[in-house]
Amino acid sequence: MDRQFSSSDMEKASVHNIEEVALHGHAATDIKDGRALFVVDEAAERALRRKIDLRILPTVALLYLFCFIDRANIGNARLAGLEKDLKLKGYDYNILLTAFYVAYVVFEFPAQVVNKWIGPGKMIPILSFLFGLCSLCMAFVHTFGQAIAVRFLLGIAEGGVFPGIAFFLSRFYRKDELGFRLACYIVCAPLAGAVGGLLASAILKIDSIGPYRTWRSGVITMGIAIISWFILPDRPEVCKWLTPEERLLAEARIKSENVGQTEVVDSLQTKTLYAGVFNATTLISSTIFFFDNIVPTIIRTIYPGLTTVQQQLRTVPPYVVGAFTTLLTGYLSFKTKKRGLYMVLSAPFMILGYAMYLATQDPHVRYTAAFMVAIGAFSFGALCTAWAAANVTSDTARAGALGTVVFFGNCGGLVSTWTFLPNAAPRYVPGNAFNLCGSSVMLFLAAGLWAWQVRENRAKANGRDDWRIEGKTQAEIEALGQKLPGFRYSY
């Protein structure tokens, strides 16, 4: 009679297998069908996930929140007296915004490569500290030229923060877990808009502290960056607050989703980096994120008769709604293991919002449109980056994919500074029409990518790519990436 395995026997076998597949040079998946070569204790995995959540997410969320407040406060500063203080005229404010985005766009991808090379656990605190320092330097700005220089340096510093945090989290979370964790820090963007508006409405009554205007800040960001240096590890293998067993499980479960790979953190290679850049999922997600980021705040033109403080307070509710939607779609993405579905559901809200902006000048309708745009737009940050990260097979390719998505997104931010110009106020017909078309393109691309991935997975399951691994060495198999028969697109 064959002996039946008990649950304890299975648990021991699982631990043994995890120890084996977590070793350097060992694969954790079957390259033909993508099946994990070990069994995970689900209770142990949930406990590990909670521990990582509690240690990492609050830190990166606070970093991103205060970085984004420092970055976005240029809009509040405009209302608080920046234009008057610096004697800005005409398009000077747009040029000031452009200086930041040009630096951000130019240095963002190189910064992501440095993140991969040095390690995001080290680079994120460094870049965040520099970002806070540049924000603090605004206290000593008295001319337009000085402001451009500081905003340019600010763009360089932040260039690696957003993609760096996404890349960092991808080393700790499975593909289907990543979207919600990205949402947990990306939600800080709308929260920063809400908090920034509340803070601005309060400090406008103070006007200045000593010789400095109250829109100048950055000290808090620097403090959090210093603390994060001692909290954020580069990867699970060197994480001191995980037990040896937890480190093995953390490494094995991430490796199990990188079909054909024998290392969780592979060496930086140009060919692999660009494989993450030039694939369909990365490029389409990047294009969607580009259109998503051409979204300005135009509350002042909706209610021109209100005081500055009242205008600031009116910006808060749409941001709060956007924050809630970001978390909700991220959580549903985690639970249902889908990303494309929620992008397809979000885009129509943006389409409706921009149509309402174009259709009428009624302030109540246009204010409602701001809520529609917030509901649709804010969720795309987490979904686009998660979709790109989920469809590569190595750490280096993931760095390239995430860097590309954020690069395109910031190109969208650069475009937004010149599609909503002062002479088009209050309706901003060119900008709103452009965004209406862009939102429609986002819907089409998300639905099309989703359908294409479903078709590709069906073809792979039917054995279309089985021939590719015949006679291949391990190095050649690792280089195949998405072409491996065991790889499945995650949509």
Side-chain angles (χ1 to χ4, degrees):
M1 180 183 294
D2 292 335
R3 178 177 176 273
Q4 293 183 346
F5 285 91
S6 66
S7 59
S8 61
D9 288 331
M10 180 60 74
E11 194 170 285
K12 291 176 182 176
S14 300
V15 171
H16 174 74
N17 288 335
I18 288 174
E19 290 174 344
E20 184 177 345
V21 301
L23 293 173
H24 294 288
H26 288 249
T29 56
D30 186 301
I31 60 175
K32 191 169 183 178
D33 62 16
R35 175 179 50 85
L37 299 179
F38 64 97
V39 178
V40 176
D41 182 337
E42 293 184 4
E45 187 171 28
R46 282 195 301 271
L48 172 65
R49 192 165 55 229
R50 282 195 298 270
K51 191 171 185 178
I52 294 173
D53 284 344
L54 292 173
R55 293 293 186 118
I56 287 179
L57 288 183
T59 304
V60 297
L62 278 174
L63 273 178
Y64 190 66
L65 173 64
F66 283 97
C67 279
F68 203 91
I69 287 175
D70 289 344
R71 166 185 171 181
N73 264 350
I74 189 73
N76 295 322
R78 185 184 191 185
L79 296 178
L82 178 142
E83 289 180 302
K84 180 181 177 181
D85 288 353
L86 300 184
K87 300 179 176 61
L88 303 185
K89 303 174 184 177
Y91 295 123
D92 285 352
Y93 179 74
N94 298 81
I95 294 172
L96 195 58
L97 294 180
T98 301
F100 173 86
Y101 278 110
V102 166
Y104 202 155
V105 167
V106 170
F107 290 95
E108 185 274 323
F109 194 84
Q112 181 70 334
V113 175
V114 175
N115 272 327
K116 165 63 182 174
W117 179 40
I118 295 179
K122 299 181 180 68
M123 283 303 299
I124 291 170
I126 291 172
L127 292 172
S128 299
F129 182 86
L130 294 176
F131 191 87
L133 181 62
C134 290
S135 297
L136 181 63
C137 286
M138 288 298 288
F140 306 97
V141 165
H142 299 288
T143 68
F144 179 50
Q146 291 172 350
I148 288 179
V150 172
R151 290 292 292 180
F152 188 85
L153 292 174
L154 202 66
I156 295 175
E158 198 187 346
V161 173
F162 182 10
I165 292 176
F167 177 51
F168 171 73
L169 293 180
S170 73
R171 289 184 170 183
F172 287 85
Y173 292 104
R174 288 184 182 271
K175 294 176 179 180
D176 292 322
E177 299 167 353
L178 184 60
F180 179 54
R181 275 69 191 182
L182 292 174
C184 285
Y185 86 85
I186 290 175
V187 71
C188 292
L191 284 179
V195 172
L198 290 171
L199 288 176
S201 65
I203 65 177
L204 281 176
K205 298 179 180 178
I206 303 173
D207 186 58
S208 63
I209 299 174
Y212 304 127
R213 297 289 295 190
T214 51
W215 45 262
R216 293 157 178 162
S217 63
V219 175
I220 297 177
T221 306
M222 296 167 65
I224 297 172
I226 293 172
I227 294 171
S228 70
W229 174 269
F230 300 99
I231 296 176
L232 302 181
D234 263 336
R235 57 191 184 277
E237 186 181 16
V238 297
C239 185
K240 295 180 180 179
W241 41 263
L242 292 178
T243 67
E245 293 78 14
E246 288 171 334
R247 286 197 289 269
L248 287 174
L249 175 57
E251 292 271 314
R253 74 194 202 106
I254 298 303
K255 190 190 290 188
S256 71
E257 297 202 315
N258 293 332
V259 181
Q261 301 298 309
T262 59
E263 301 292 340
V264 174
V265 178
D266 58 337
S267 59
L268 177 61
Q269 295 182 3
T270 302
K271 184 177 179 180
T272 308
L273 183 73
Y274 285 107
V277 174
F278 296 106
N279 73 71
T281 304
T282 298
L283 295 176
I284 293 175
S285 297
S286 299
T287 305
I288 293 172
F289 200 34
F290 167 81
F291 285 110
D292 180 63
N293 270 15
I294 310 176
V295 181
T297 301
I298 55 177
I299 299 298
R300 183 168 65 170
T301 64
I302 297 175
Y303 296 104
L306 298 181
T307 66
T308 300
V309 171
Q310 290 173 326
Q311 289 175 355
Q312 294 285 8
L313 291 175
R314 289 273 182 163
T315 66
V316 174
Y319 279 122
V320 171
V321 170
F324 173 77
T325 307
T326 299
L327 287 176
L328 178 62
T329 54
Y331 181 75
L332 292 175
S333 171
F334 167 46
K335 287 299 182 181
T336 62
K337 301 183 179 182
K338 296 185 183 298
R339 285 149 287 274
L341 170 63
Y342 301 104
M343 293 170 75
V344 169
L345 292 176
S346 296
F349 285 97
M350 297 179 67
I351 294 171
L352 177 60
Y354 289 118
M356 292 167 68
Y357 276 137
L358 289 169
T360 180
Q361 286 186 275
D362 182 275
H364 300 301
V365 175
R366 291 171 69 82
Y367 191 53
T368 302
F371 283 89
M372 295 295 102
V373 172
I375 289 171
F378 283 113
S379 61
F380 276 91
L383 294 173
C384 285
T385 48
W387 206 352
N391 286 286
V392 290
T393 60
S394 70
D395 189 68
T396 297
R398 195 168 295 110
L402 291 170
T404 303
V405 171
V406 180
F407 169 80
F408 272 75
N410 286 303
C411 287
L414 179 59
V415 170
S416 72
T417 64
W418 294 99
T419 52
F420 288 79
L421 297 174
N423 59 11
R427 292 187 66 187
Y428 294 104
V429 172
N432 285 318
F434 184 86
N435 276 343
L436 177 60
C437 294
S439 301
S440 302
V441 171
M442 290 166 63
L443 175 60
F444 173 78
L445 290 177
L449 179 58
W450 183 9
W452 177 76
Q453 289 187 338
V454 170
R455 189 190 67 179
E456 284 293 294
N457 283 354
R458 188 178 300 120
K460 283 177 170 290
N462 290 333
R464 184 194 64 185
D465 294 337
D466 289 357
W467 63 273
R468 295 183 183 277
I469 60 175
E470 294 178 4
K472 293 289 194 302
T473 64
Q474 179 58 42
E476 291 171 333
I477 287 173
E478 291 182 13
L480 286 174
Q482 294 172 325
K483 295 178 181 178
L484 282 168
F487 175 82
R488 295 292 183 271
Y489 287 97
S490 181
Y491 48 80

